[in-house]
Amino acid sequence: SPDGKEVYNIVTDLIVANSFPAVIREMDGSKEVLPKGSTQTKNQDVKHTNNCDDTINMMTCSDVFTIERDELDIQAHGLLPLRTILSYFERGRTNMFGGPNNLRKMQDEDGILAVVTSVRDLSLFWTPAVASEEKNNGTEKDLYPTMVEAGQQIVVNTAVEVKRKGMILEFHQSLSLLKEDMLISKGRVYLMMINAETRRPTSKLPPWAWELLDVQDGVK
């Protein structure tokens, strides 16, 4: 199996090949270590509840999935590739709308398409190797990605913020190992509502969608 450096090269190659604005960040256990000179903004963390929580200012849901063998990277065994991470994010967003049938309903009956316009602040969280720190007298660190196995459970936390009266939905998403409570990735995904007939942006989300997102029609 590839060593840490080989895995790093594989991941960075995938980032470039897929044109994802992803960065690799260091983790100390389940706590993020911020790069020098950076600051941490207060975000809306949510416990693994496997349901939705509207007690904070953004509607937040948690979904638990089981990793399938064909979702692992074929080049680096035990690594979740970016395409799989983004696929899990998509499933989390879809569930906030009530599932794929509701998205089809919104397109066929309400004439509205939900289109991903951008992915921002996409981060992968890696853990420093203790042996590497001892070897380099603490001056350098070899970072290793969080390795997973088929059959493990992961949790996707999804919080939505409504902007421009529903024309833009900003999703704050993270993916973690459920049992180990170890963060793997997080980022922000932006969806724009498009009129299926005119192909122009619209803020006319159907009432049932506002209800699912737990936001009153047009309040933001």
Side-chain angles (χ1 to χ4, degrees):
S1 60
D3 60 21
K5 184 175 179 57
E6 291 174 326
V7 170
Y8 179 90
N9 290 335
I10 291 171
V11 173
T12 50
D13 287 345
L14 285 171
I15 291 173
V16 173
N18 291 281
S19 299
F20 294 133
V23 297
I24 296 172
R25 296 187 183 276
E26 180 184 340
M27 290 290 293
D28 180 9
S30 61
K31 182 180 179 182
E32 177 182 355
V33 179
L34 296 173
K36 291 183 179 180
S38 62
T39 58
Q40 186 173 27
T41 57
K42 189 174 183 180
N43 62 352
Q44 302 291 347
D45 292 327
V46 61
K47 294 182 179 179
H48 303 151
T49 55
N50 303 317
N51 55 21
C52 297
D53 180 10
D54 60 358
T55 59
I56 57 178
N57 62 356
M58 287 191 291
M59 182 65 173
T60 305
C61 291
S62 298
D63 296 286
V64 175
F65 303 105
T66 300
I67 299 173
E68 302 294 337
R69 188 173 302 278
D70 60 1
E71 294 176 323
L72 300 176
D73 197 284
I74 59 175
Q75 294 178 288
H77 178 70
L79 181 69
L80 276 181
L82 283 172
R83 63 178 179 275
T84 299
I85 291 173
L86 292 177
S87 176
Y88 278 125
F89 282 175
E90 181 182 9
R91 291 165 71 179
R93 295 192 305 273
T94 299
N95 285 348
M96 291 201 77
F97 281 98
N101 289 337
N102 275 359
L103 286 178
R104 282 191 291 269
K105 173 185 175 182
M106 190 166 69
Q107 177 179 348
D108 297 338
E109 298 181 14
D110 302 300
I112 296 177
L113 301 171
V115 179
V116 174
T117 56
S118 64
V119 179
R120 302 180 184 177
D121 300 331
L122 183 60
S123 301
L124 303 175
F125 293 90
W126 289 23
T127 305
V130 176
S132 172
E133 294 181 21
E134 294 175 350
K135 178 180 179 181
N136 297 290
N137 297 320
T139 58
E140 297 180 9
K141 293 181 180 180
D142 285 338
L143 298 179
Y144 289 82
T146 302
M147 307 304 284
V148 300
E149 297 178 355
Q152 278 186 299
Q153 288 188 317
I154 58 173
V155 60
V156 175
N157 291 327
T158 305
V160 62
E161 185 175 359
V162 179
K163 296 187 172 183
R164 301 187 66 178
K165 297 184 178 182
M167 182 184 298
I168 302 292
L169 299 181
E170 178 181 338
F171 289 87
H172 301 245
Q173 297 190 273
S174 65
L175 185 149
S176 307
L177 283 174
L178 178 62
K179 184 177 180 181
E180 295 80 0
D181 192 27
M182 183 174 291
L183 184 63
I184 297 175
S185 179
K186 72 175 182 180
R188 291 182 294 148
V189 181
Y190 291 80
L191 264 63
M192 178 176 287
M193 301 302 110
I194 302 293
N195 184 297
E197 183 176 350
T198 65
R199 301 293 175 174
R200 300 286 295 175
T202 180
S203 58
K204 296 181 180 180
L205 276 172
W208 62 262
W210 286 110
E211 184 177 351
L212 283 174
L213 298 175
D214 198 45
V215 179
Q216 294 182 357
D217 188 355
V219 299
K220 293 189 177 183

